[in-house]
């Protein structure tokens, strides 16, 4: 699991660690990890001796981390120059850099560097960048940037952007992941994220990101005396004469092997398509979870009402989202909007959702009293109270028609198999993204490709976690 903490949590943990360590020890650990990451990045294209690195240094501790890391790089033969963007830079770090052979600039470097280290502002900085920092970055445009802790200019605790921000190829973060390292749009500026462990004592994190081992541990396994009804039955009410493919793809996601049975209830045309593609799928009957809404068109309201009458956990997608009552008894619901659908649910502009997805997903979870899965590059799963999981699997090729239908069916299967809504949504999202990446292999995919790949992906996860 990757855990992302708030600025307040990190500062408290760092203060406790510094009280127990010699003065400056924590910064030296951070600088050592930063220097190693920079050396690794430089070394991917050849020897590091003689390579040029410019440190953009601001007044905070991130500037100190950059300067001490620069001193280590200089001792390894890297030509390091610090461009100070403040009169109040870390003096001890500056002296360490000079002693190691580094230089100090008061403007753009005379020779274009191989790499820039962003030590402009730290986790306490306000969103956006000052004009001098924007100008410095413009002067170095096109040079790869390594961000210290977080890209300067992002909103660390929300992942939002409010003005210009550094765009890094690598972010070296310390002690724990920061929310901006994982949550878009800030995470899009972070590039790859490398964690340097500082052995901090941290409280529970408000934001998490599942990893393969976590997903494998959460996947339901049938007992030795399993029979099909005990393994769970998932029902799908999706598709219509207008959108038959949505029903077929929803069933494709649900028919992933994680339950004992899949039922389909809906349009006769869709039923014939489902029976042709999935002969094991049966008709109406009792279920442990429902999947409703995808492609339901004008029948969405009635479809949702019929599903909710069974009082079982339900995945609500697409057309049916408009008929979920705020502040209702929605504890067993998983709502799966994209940004446009969530905008309509909250009566805001889509651009607001995309600018502050975490804030709005949390608002929706509170308003509706349900787990909300906000689809995106880094999908967010939020439960009332604010606990959040970020999905970091996936590929841009997954932005294809029908992918959300497959996801809804998969989550419904995990619900029927026994997972709680928060786990079902976050595990389903992770598996969906990982399956798409594997199926893509770097090229185009369709939603059907993802549905076909689900059993194999989960089989691999289960096999790797078997003692």
């Amino acid at each position: 699991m990757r855990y992302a903490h708030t600025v307040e949590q990190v500062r408290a943990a760092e203060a406790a660690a510094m009280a127990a360590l010699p003065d400056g020890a924590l910064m030296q650990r951070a600088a050592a990890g930063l220097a190693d990451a920079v050396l690794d990045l430089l070394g991917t294209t050849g020897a590091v001796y003689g390579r040029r690195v410019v440190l953009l240094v601001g007044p905070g501790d991130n500037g100190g981390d950059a300067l001490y890391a620069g001193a280590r790089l200089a001792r390894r033969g890297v030509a390091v120059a610090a461009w100070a963007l403040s009169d109040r830079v870390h003096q001890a770090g500056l002296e360490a850099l000079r002693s190691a052979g580094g230089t100090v600039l008061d403007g753009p470097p005379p020779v274009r560097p191989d790499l820039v280290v962003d030590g402009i502002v730290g986790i306490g900085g306000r969103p956006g960048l000052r004009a001098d920092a924007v100008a410095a970055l413009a002067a170095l445009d096109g040079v790869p940037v390594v961000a210290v802790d977080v890209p300067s200019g992002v909103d660390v605790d929300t992942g939002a952007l409010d003005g210009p921000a550094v765009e890094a190829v690598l972010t070296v973060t310390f002690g724990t992941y920061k929310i901006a390292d994982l949550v878009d749009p800030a995470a899009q500026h972070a590039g790859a994220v490398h964690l340097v462990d500082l052995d901090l004592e941290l409280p529970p994190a408000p934001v998490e990101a599942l990893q393969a081992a976590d997903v494998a541990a959460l996947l339901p396994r049938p007992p030795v005396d399993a029979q099909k009804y005990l393994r769970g039955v998932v029902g799908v009410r999706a598709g219509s004469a207008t959108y038959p493919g949505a029903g077929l793809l929803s069933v494709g996601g649900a028919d992933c092997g994680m339950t004992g049975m899949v039922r389909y209830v809906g349009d006769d045309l869709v039923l014939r398509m489902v029976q042709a593609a999935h002969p094991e799928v049966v008709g109406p009957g009792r279920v442990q979870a429902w999947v409703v809404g995808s492609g339901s068109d004008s029948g969405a309201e009635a479809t949702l009402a019929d599903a909710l009458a069974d009082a079982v956990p339900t995945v609500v997608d697409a057309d049916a989202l408009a008929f979920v009552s705020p502040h209702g008894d929605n504890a067993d619901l998983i709502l799966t909007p994209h940004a446009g659908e969530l905008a309509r649910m909250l009566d805001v502009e889509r651009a607001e959702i995309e600018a502050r997805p975490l804030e709005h997903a949390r608002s929706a979870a509170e308003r509706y009293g349900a787990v909300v899965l906000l689809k995106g590059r880094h999908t967010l799963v939020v439960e009332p109270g604010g606990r959040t999981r970020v999905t970091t699997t996936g590929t841009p090729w997954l932005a294809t028609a029908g992918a959300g239908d497959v996801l809804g069916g998969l989550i419904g299967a995990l619900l029927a198999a026994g997972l709680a809504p928060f786990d079902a949504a976050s595990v389903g999202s992770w598996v969906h993204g990982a399956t798409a990446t594997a199926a893509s292999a770097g090229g185009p995919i369709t939603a059907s490709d993802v549905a076909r790949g689900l059993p194999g992906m989960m089989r691999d996860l289960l096999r790797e976690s078997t003692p």
Side-chain angles (χ1 to χ4, degrees):
M1 189 83 75
R2 290 182 175 179
Y3 298 102
H5 291 80
T6 66
V7 171
E8 182 179 359
Q9 289 175 319
V10 172
R11 282 178 164 170
E14 288 178 343
M18 286 189 289
L21 292 170
D23 187 39
L26 203 64
M27 182 172 284
Q28 291 297 334
R29 288 184 188 175
L34 175 59
D36 287 345
V38 170
L39 287 168
D40 285 345
L41 189 59
L42 289 172
T44 59
T45 55
V48 300
Y49 188 85
R51 305 295 294 278
R52 298 180 181 276
V53 171
V54 167
L55 316 174
L56 294 180
V57 180
D61 285 345
N62 277 31
D65 296 331
L67 289 165
Y68 279 121
R72 291 171 178 267
L73 295 172
R75 288 195 289 270
R76 293 289 298 271
V78 178
V80 182
W83 183 353
L85 301 179
S86 170
D87 294 333
R88 297 180 295 107
V89 298
H90 195 284
Q91 288 302 309
L94 194 62
E95 290 306 315
L97 177 65
R98 284 187 170 124
S99 296
T103 60
V104 179
L105 305 170
D106 57 7
V111 178
R112 191 169 180 82
D114 299 293
L115 198 69
V116 171
V117 174
D118 160 32
I120 301 170
V121 294
I123 60 174
R126 294 180 179 178
L129 292 172
R130 293 184 349 187
D132 58 345
V134 173
L137 290 165
L140 296 164
D141 186 45
V143 180
V145 178
V146 175
V148 180
D149 220 4
V150 292
S152 292
V154 303
D155 190 322
V156 180
D157 278 350
T158 70
L161 299 177
D162 187 12
V166 167
E167 296 188 44
V169 297
L170 172 68
T171 294
V172 181
T173 197
F174 307 127
T176 180
Y177 292 91
K178 314 308 182 293
I179 293 171
D181 293 329
L182 301 180
V183 173
D184 283 338
Q188 296 182 57
H189 284 239
V193 181
H194 172 69
L195 176 65
V196 175
D197 185 13
L198 299 182
D199 198 25
L200 301 180
E201 293 290 333
L202 289 155
V207 175
E208 306 166 343
L210 295 175
Q211 304 300 292
D214 307 308
V215 173
L218 286 166
L219 282 175
R221 292 159 171 77
V224 293
D225 59 346
Q227 47 101 337
K228 60 187 176 185
Y229 294 108
L230 287 178
R231 289 193 58 208
V233 180
V234 58
V236 177
R237 295 177 179 267
S240 61
T242 307
Y243 303 108
L248 184 60
L249 290 167
S250 295
V251 169
D255 194 24
C256 59
M258 293 305 294
T259 62
M261 184 182 293
V262 180
R263 299 185 184 275
Y264 178 77
V265 179
D267 183 87
D268 287 344
L269 169 63
V270 182
L271 177 60
R272 290 193 294 273
M273 293 172 62
V274 165
Q275 289 175 331
H278 302 274
E280 64 274 23
V281 174
V282 299
R286 294 182 61 183
V287 301
Q288 279 70 57
W290 279 110
V291 179
V292 302
S294 297
S296 294
D297 201 25
S298 59
E301 184 174 13
T303 294
L304 178 62
D306 289 342
L308 295 183
D310 284 345
V312 297
T314 300
V315 180
V316 185
D317 190 27
D319 301 314
L321 290 166
F323 302 102
V324 179
S325 298
H327 311 298
D329 183 14
N330 299 329
D332 286 335
L333 300 189
I334 300 173
L335 313 181
T336 61
H338 55 57
E341 290 162 340
L342 188 62
R344 291 190 289 273
M345 292 167 65
L346 296 178
D347 193 25
V348 301
E349 295 296 321
R350 179 177 184 141
E352 293 184 38
I353 304 294
E354 293 171 337
R356 298 182 175 274
L358 178 58
E359 174 185 325
H360 290 294
R362 284 175 167 171
S363 176
E366 290 300 323
R367 180 176 181 183
Y368 285 87
V371 169
V372 171
L373 181 152
L374 176 57
K375 300 168 188 172
R377 187 190 79 103
H378 280 189
T379 290
L380 300 176
V381 178
V382 182
E383 64 180 0
R387 185 185 178 199
T388 302
R389 282 184 180 153
V390 184
T391 301
T392 57
T393 58
T395 166
W397 294 108
L398 185 54
T400 186
D405 306 329
V406 175
L407 173 62
L410 169 60
I411 294 171
L414 294 169
L415 276 177
L419 290 188
F422 185 68
D423 286 338
S426 50
V427 168
S429 179
W430 192 98
V431 170
H432 185 252
T435 303
T437 300
S440 165
I445 52 171
T446 66
S448 296
D449 295 329
V450 179
R452 285 191 292 268
L454 291 174
M457 174 59 65
M458 288 183 285
R459 183 166 52 247
D460 290 345
L461 288 165
L462 292 165
R463 183 185 298 123
E464 291 175 6
S465 65
T466 301

